[in-house]
Amino acid sequence: MQTNQQGTPDNNDKYRWSDYIPPVRITVWVWKICGLYNGEPLSSSYRAYRAVFHIFLMVVYLFTLSLNIFVMQAFEQLVLYIMYIVFTEIVMALKAIVTYYKFDQLCDLYRQTLASDFKPLDAEEEQLHRKGVASINYYLYPYLITTNMAVASSCLYLLQEDYRLPYFPWILGIEYGPTKRLNYGLLFAYQVVGMYLHMLINVAIDVQLSYLLGMISIQLDLIGKRFRTLHTSEQFRESFVDLMNHYQKVQRMTAEIEKLYSSAYFAQFGSSGLVICASAFKASSMFNLYELTAIQNLLYMLSMIFQMFLPCRFGNEVTHKSHLLRTSIYSSRWYEMGLQERKTLRMLLQRMNKPLTLKAYYFFNYNLQAFTTVTLNMAYSLYALLQRNALKQV
């Protein structure tokens, strides 16, 4: 990728995606398929495709999902439906809005991860960089596989004999069943394809966020390594300005990511426990050898756990490694430097007392503690309550 004198890619390469890791390139295809790609120039045919896609898949699909709330018979069915479907679709819509209306901002963040001043300088840094990228792939590939399996498992409904639809039972009054198999097949395909595309939008944003946080984590590793190798006052004076500029870029990038994804992940944190709870309750209440659709609920629950774990895991790494920067600075040979350099390092240590953190609307932290306390504990508490009520009714 060509760069200018400031170390950032030229505008001609703004939408060049071949240099990114495969999970990121997958998200670009998701943008294009789901009508969210908003980079210039856009052909008139793609604009027409995007309009048709948004009307018939996004608007109609979400509208029919919402109408099903008013035809639910049992209160328990209504609660589970709202927890299981509605919250997921709200989060998906927020993520789609972020992608579409903040497209250039997302691309700028991507470009920054490949800028020349973010590249490793020697063999040790190259190893740290490769290790960080391998860690990103290690978590993203299982997530992509699990989410695809969760949607594919909806085809298990075809093995049932009662002609049930996989996601919602009613759609605009169209009749389906043993005597109207063509209608059933068309509605089944519409629901599965619609849910698959909705899943892709959700997953694409999760992959993007995980990639960006993972790259910030790598940069913090490189900055820490460069501080540890400072041995003399001359090395310190030559490197300090560049190191601080690098750290400030990482700091600004972290703040920009937090602001960009704040609304979507505030909703994600708030709803994930409910969705995991609903998935677990549905799976446990129907799990037997003759109810293969329980597999769908288990895979869906696993996908939701992954969905919350990834931003918490990579956000936790950013906070942890920014905190370790103090140790890296102290590990330099500051004791062999001059008085002025030692004073500067002392002020720098005081400045870095507060590590980099990310929050969703200043409420939910992107860390592993939030994953266990907010997501899993809430899901288990709601699951236990639903199970207790179900046992009482029996």
Side-chain angles (χ1 to χ4, degrees):
M1 179 175 287
Q2 298 176 352
T3 57
N4 55 29
Q5 294 180 352
Q6 285 73 35
T8 57
D10 290 329
N11 288 332
N12 292 334
D13 289 337
K14 185 171 185 177
Y15 303 117
R16 178 179 171 182
W17 303 104
S18 59
D19 294 330
Y20 295 92
I21 61 175
V24 171
R25 296 203 296 270
I26 291 173
T27 66
V28 176
W29 280 107
V30 171
W31 287 346
K32 294 178 178 179
I33 293 171
C34 297
L36 298 176
Y37 194 87
N38 203 19
E40 297 293 343
L42 292 176
S43 64
S44 57
S45 59
Y46 182 76
R47 292 178 186 275
Y49 165 79
R50 187 170 64 183
V52 172
F53 182 93
H54 289 167
I55 292 172
F56 286 98
L57 195 63
M58 299 289 287
V59 177
V60 175
Y61 194 91
L62 291 176
F63 178 69
T64 52
L65 273 176
S66 303
L67 286 180
N68 275 269
I69 296 177
F70 301 101
V71 298
M72 294 295 177
Q73 300 300 318
F75 176 75
E76 179 183 301
Q77 184 185 24
L78 173 63
V79 172
L80 287 175
Y81 182 84
I82 294 174
M83 293 168 64
Y84 191 63
I85 297 293
V86 174
F87 287 129
T88 304
E89 298 307 312
I90 291 173
V91 173
M92 183 280 303
L94 288 173
K95 291 180 178 180
I97 291 170
V98 169
T99 301
Y100 186 81
Y101 289 103
K102 302 293 183 179
F103 187 85
D104 284 336
Q105 190 176 354
L106 277 170
C107 291
D108 289 338
L109 287 171
Y110 273 132
R111 287 195 303 157
Q112 193 170 343
T113 63
L114 297 184
S116 59
D117 52 356
F118 271 39
K119 293 186 180 298
L121 300 179
D122 54 37
E124 183 181 352
E125 291 188 7
E126 186 69 40
Q127 184 177 2
L128 288 172
H129 191 275
R130 284 198 302 268
K131 183 179 179 181
V133 172
S135 177
I136 296 172
N137 286 323
Y138 176 82
Y139 287 100
L140 294 187
Y141 279 122
Y143 178 47
L144 291 170
I145 294 171
T146 303
T147 50
N148 278 273
M149 289 178 60
V151 177
S153 64
S154 60
C155 294
L156 292 171
Y157 279 87
L158 295 173
L159 301 177
Q160 306 293 323
E161 297 180 355
D162 53 359
Y163 290 88
R164 277 187 293 168
L165 292 173
Y167 294 108
F168 45 96
W170 179 87
I171 179 167
L172 302 178
I174 300 174
E175 296 183 3
Y176 59 90
T179 60
K180 297 184 180 297
R181 294 184 179 181
L182 179 60
N183 286 355
Y184 175 73
L186 292 174
L187 292 176
F188 192 97
Y190 176 75
Q191 288 195 9
V192 172
V193 172
M195 188 57 66
Y196 183 73
L197 293 172
H198 281 59
M199 178 274 293
L200 287 178
I201 295 172
N202 257 317
V203 170
I205 300 292
D206 298 330
V207 169
Q208 292 162 15
L209 177 60
S210 300
Y211 167 77
L212 292 172
L213 294 181
M215 295 305 290
I216 288 176
S217 178
I218 292 172
Q219 294 308 310
L220 292 171
D221 280 335
L222 300 185
I223 295 172
K225 177 264 177 186
R226 293 170 189 174
F227 269 115
R228 289 193 299 271
T229 56
L230 296 180
H231 296 163
T232 64
S233 295
E234 289 75 15
Q235 289 179 335
F236 178 86
R237 287 192 293 269
E238 290 175 359
S239 305
F240 180 72
V241 174
D242 290 338
L243 285 172
M244 289 310 302
N245 287 337
H246 194 172
Y247 179 76
Q248 288 173 353
K249 287 182 180 180
V250 171
Q251 200 173 31
R252 288 194 297 268
M253 189 175 178
T254 304
E256 190 174 354
I257 291 171
E258 179 185 52
K259 183 178 180 180
L260 185 65
Y261 292 101
S262 188
S263 59
Y265 280 89
F266 178 81
Q268 183 76 71
F269 273 100
S271 64
S272 58
L274 299 175
V275 177
I276 293 171
C277 165
S279 302
F281 182 78
K282 288 187 69 176
S284 64
S285 62
M286 64 174 63
F287 195 84
N288 56 69
L289 295 176
Y290 302 102
E291 190 59 75
L292 296 176
T293 53
I295 298 174
Q296 180 193 28
N297 292 285
L298 291 174
L299 288 171
Y300 190 80
M301 179 179 65
L302 183 60
S303 299
M304 288 301 304
I305 292 174
F306 253 123
Q307 190 173 49
M308 284 314 306
F309 173 75
L310 289 177
C312 290
R313 190 268 175 191
F314 287 104
N316 192 81
E317 282 292 291
V318 170
T319 301
H320 176 64
K321 290 182 178 180
S322 65
H323 183 74
L324 289 180
L325 272 181
R326 288 170 50 83
T327 304
S328 298
I329 294 170
Y330 193 77
S331 297
S332 65
R333 295 186 182 179
W334 55 268
Y335 45 85
E336 297 180 2
M337 299 180 188
L339 179 61
Q340 184 60 42
E341 287 72 31
R342 293 201 299 270
K343 288 182 178 179
T344 302
L345 284 174
R346 182 178 179 181
M347 289 188 293
L348 182 59
L349 288 171
Q350 292 175 341
R351 177 181 175 181
M352 291 185 175
N353 271 333
K354 185 178 180 181
L356 300 178
T357 57
L358 295 99
K359 291 185 176 182
Y361 274 149
Y362 307 99
F363 192 77
F364 296 113
N365 287 295
Y366 291 68
N367 57 35
L368 295 177
Q369 184 180 2
F371 173 71
T372 55
T373 57
V374 176
T375 304
L376 296 185
N377 284 356
M378 180 173 68
Y380 178 77
S381 300
L382 291 171
Y383 170 77
L385 178 62
L386 289 175
Q387 282 288 73
R388 185 165 61 249
N389 291 336
L391 290 174
K392 288 180 179 179
Q393 292 177 4
V394 174

